[in-house]
Amino acid sequence: MQVIVRAVALTMPKLTPVLGNPHSAVRVCSLLILTFSCFVACDSDATLGPSSNVVVGRIYAGHGFTCGIAEGGTGLCWGINDEGQLGVGGDILFGSALRIVSQDLRFVELSTKAAGRHVCGITTSEEAYCWGENDFGQLGNGSSIFRIGPQLVSGGLTFVSITAGWRSSCGITTDGVAYCWGRGAWGQLGDGLATRSSVPVAVAGGHKFRKVEVGSNNLVCGLTTDGRILCWGLDRSGALGAPSSAMCSSGYGLELTCATTPQPIASDERFLEVSVGSSFACAITLSLRLFCWGRNDLGQLGSPITESCAQGNFSGIACSRAPVPVSGHLRFVMVAAGLRHACGVTLDGDAYCWGRNSIGELGSGIMGTNSPVPLLVGGGVTFRSVTVGDRHTCGEGTDGSLYCWGSNEWGQLGTGDSHLWLEPTPVVTGP
């Protein structure tokens, strides 16, 4: 039995988390059957066969689960399924087998975040579908009722990019307009209101976007076609990248600073890329310098700044209310912000990570020591791209192989075991 995984070289940097593999199914189902046949026995019929050869070029990590796009556009998901985020029925609670999201749909892009429990994707016909958690209407199908499988996003819009974050989603249409849907109490829909919507609403301001990213704590940032970065949503710990005077209420008596429409970050730079984490974000300038802003209590900005942010009943924590350069004078070609740490790839293909390092997610060979400055990822591997989850990190090596490191309690590293790894370890691609 074999599932072959190899990365596809892309013309633009892509976030490339680990592809789950059948070896981890042995561990998941070990209480039922201690053989490799568990790959079939413990999973539904909507899985790839045991002799399948799968080529995956774009894969994405969510909250305890992973999804990817196989060659030909088949969507695949595996891991936790408590909210239907695998795209299959709730009777399947978890599993490491690669489950086919739909036999009919072919995807060109998928999206989820480390704290998210839903997935959105764009098909070859430029339609958007979402599945998983829907308590706030984040599936965009006109309801907040749980439905099994991919749901067509309402409105008849055609999309070129999509992002699924924590309880809200956003997409960019073929004419460059951004739409958002789902939870909006902190202004994260960007339409000037602070209410939820179960259908797409246009982001205010008439901006044209190349990319929009929903973060893990009600923060959204977008990269415009002229290279500016605009952010909206909750301004926790300076996450908007510039001061805001607006206030939003959670409905439970909690009022915090927010922005209900896009506002520019405090920078005159023009940018090539942006990635949003949990109350922080990072962006690459035209000169390939990397700047980050927002929360910094664990060093996730890559700079040992000492500013303190306090809001409402929340005590002050380390932060930066404006973009600050990441330490080290490195030049980056891509960046990925996760829940509490971030990583980037330099011009030379070296990967650096910074921020939380509770279980080796920085890949530096040590664990338990956070870093406010970039640390070189060990193992002697050079990378095309990296992706950052909650407490693990993965990347595509320049040799075409996939590598992962950090937490592995659910087999999310794809290494064929449940051991944590402190440096890049190859994803298992055979028996």
Side-chain angles (χ1 to χ4, degrees):
M1 179 179 307
Q2 184 178 13
V3 172
I4 297 175
V5 182
R6 66 179 175 85
V8 177
L10 302 171
T11 56
M12 290 294 289
K14 292 289 184 180
L15 302 185
T16 310
V18 61
L19 174 65
N21 71 84
H23 297 295
S24 59
V26 176
R27 182 181 59 82
V28 172
C29 301
S30 60
L31 294 179
L32 300 178
I33 182 168
L34 295 175
T35 70
F36 206 61
S37 62
C38 182
F39 178 65
V40 176
C42 294
D43 295 298
S44 73
D45 292 335
T47 61
L48 296 177
S51 61
S52 299
N53 292 328
V54 182
V55 178
V56 176
R58 285 162 292 175
I59 47 185
Y60 313 83
H63 186 63
F65 71 102
T66 307
C67 292
I69 302 175
E71 190 175 58
T74 299
L76 307 170
C77 292
W78 57 97
I80 296 173
N81 194 42
D82 59 330
E83 291 287 347
Q85 54 266 59
L86 301 190
V88 298
D91 57 324
I92 306 298
L93 296 180
F94 57 86
S96 57
L98 282 64
R99 299 186 179 279
I100 297 173
V101 172
S102 170
Q103 298 285 359
D104 302 319
L105 300 176
R106 294 295 177 264
F107 294 96
V108 296
E109 182 177 345
L110 295 178
S111 176
T112 188
K113 274 290 187 176
R117 295 164 70 177
H118 76 289
V119 185
C120 291
I122 300 173
T123 66
T124 53
S125 59
E126 298 180 330
E127 293 177 311
Y129 286 81
C130 299
W131 58 94
E133 183 183 50
N134 195 33
D135 294 351
F136 292 87
Q138 58 262 52
L139 301 190
N141 65 341
S143 79
S144 57
I145 299 172
F146 173 77
R147 303 288 187 194
I148 296 173
Q151 304 296 307
L152 178 65
V153 173
S154 300
L157 301 167
T158 53
F159 291 89
V160 295
S161 179
I162 202 161
T163 173
W166 189 53
R167 295 177 171 174
S168 62
S169 311
C170 295
I172 301 174
T173 60
T174 50
D175 58 359
V177 177
Y179 287 79
C180 296
W181 56 94
R183 189 182 189 196
W186 303 109
Q188 61 266 49
L189 302 189
D191 61 344
L193 304 175
T195 59
R196 73 174 69 179
S197 175
S198 62
V199 297
V201 295
V203 172
H207 308 286
K208 300 293 186 180
F209 288 95
R210 292 202 331 243
K211 181 178 182 180
V212 172
E213 266 216 356
V214 181
S216 296
N217 193 15
N218 306 304
L219 171 69
V220 185
C221 293
L223 177 65
T224 65
T225 53
D226 63 355
R228 294 181 302 146
I229 291 179
L230 309 175
C231 295
W232 59 96
L234 181 62
D235 191 30
R236 182 80 187 275
S237 304
L240 292 179
S244 176
S245 58
M247 299 294 292
C248 294
S249 172
S250 66
Y252 301 100
L254 178 64
E255 288 194 343
L256 295 173
T257 309
C258 70
T260 61
T261 59
Q263 69 169 39
I265 62 173
S267 174
D268 294 327
E269 297 275 0
R270 289 296 183 262
F271 294 88
L272 294 170
E273 182 65 284
V274 63
S275 186
V276 183
S278 181
S279 298
F280 80 102
C282 298
I284 299 174
T285 68
L286 294 179
S287 60
L288 304 185
R289 296 180 66 201
L290 183 59
F291 287 79
C292 298
W293 61 94
R295 184 171 181 167
N296 197 40
D297 57 321
L298 300 176
Q300 52 267 60
L301 302 189
S303 175
I305 59 171
T306 59
E307 184 180 352
S308 179
C309 292
Q311 282 185 297
N313 296 325
F314 296 104
S315 60
I317 62 172
C319 73
S320 177
R321 299 183 187 275
V324 293
V326 170
S327 302
H329 305 289
L330 299 166
R331 293 294 183 264
F332 288 91
V333 296
M334 69 87 57
V335 62
L339 202 65
R340 294 288 187 268
H341 73 290
C343 299
V345 177
T346 68
L347 274 170
D348 297 326
D350 293 322
Y352 286 83
C353 296
W354 55 93
R356 184 176 65 181
N357 194 34
S358 61
I359 200 162
E361 55 264 57
L362 300 189
S364 61
I366 61 174
M367 62 179 288
T369 302
N370 303 328
S371 178
V373 298
L375 297 179
L376 179 65
V377 173
V381 180
T382 55
F383 290 89
R384 292 193 181 108
S385 63
V386 291
T387 184
V388 177
D390 180 1
R391 294 184 300 150
H392 75 287
T393 310
C394 297
E396 178 195 344
T398 53
D399 60 358
S401 298
L402 298 180
Y403 297 86
C404 293
W405 57 95
S407 176
N408 197 26
E409 68 265 25
W410 296 101
Q412 61 265 49
L413 301 190
T415 53
D417 54 43
S418 58
H419 302 156
L420 68 90
W421 294 91
L422 302 181
E423 290 187 346
T425 302
V427 173
V428 175
T429 60

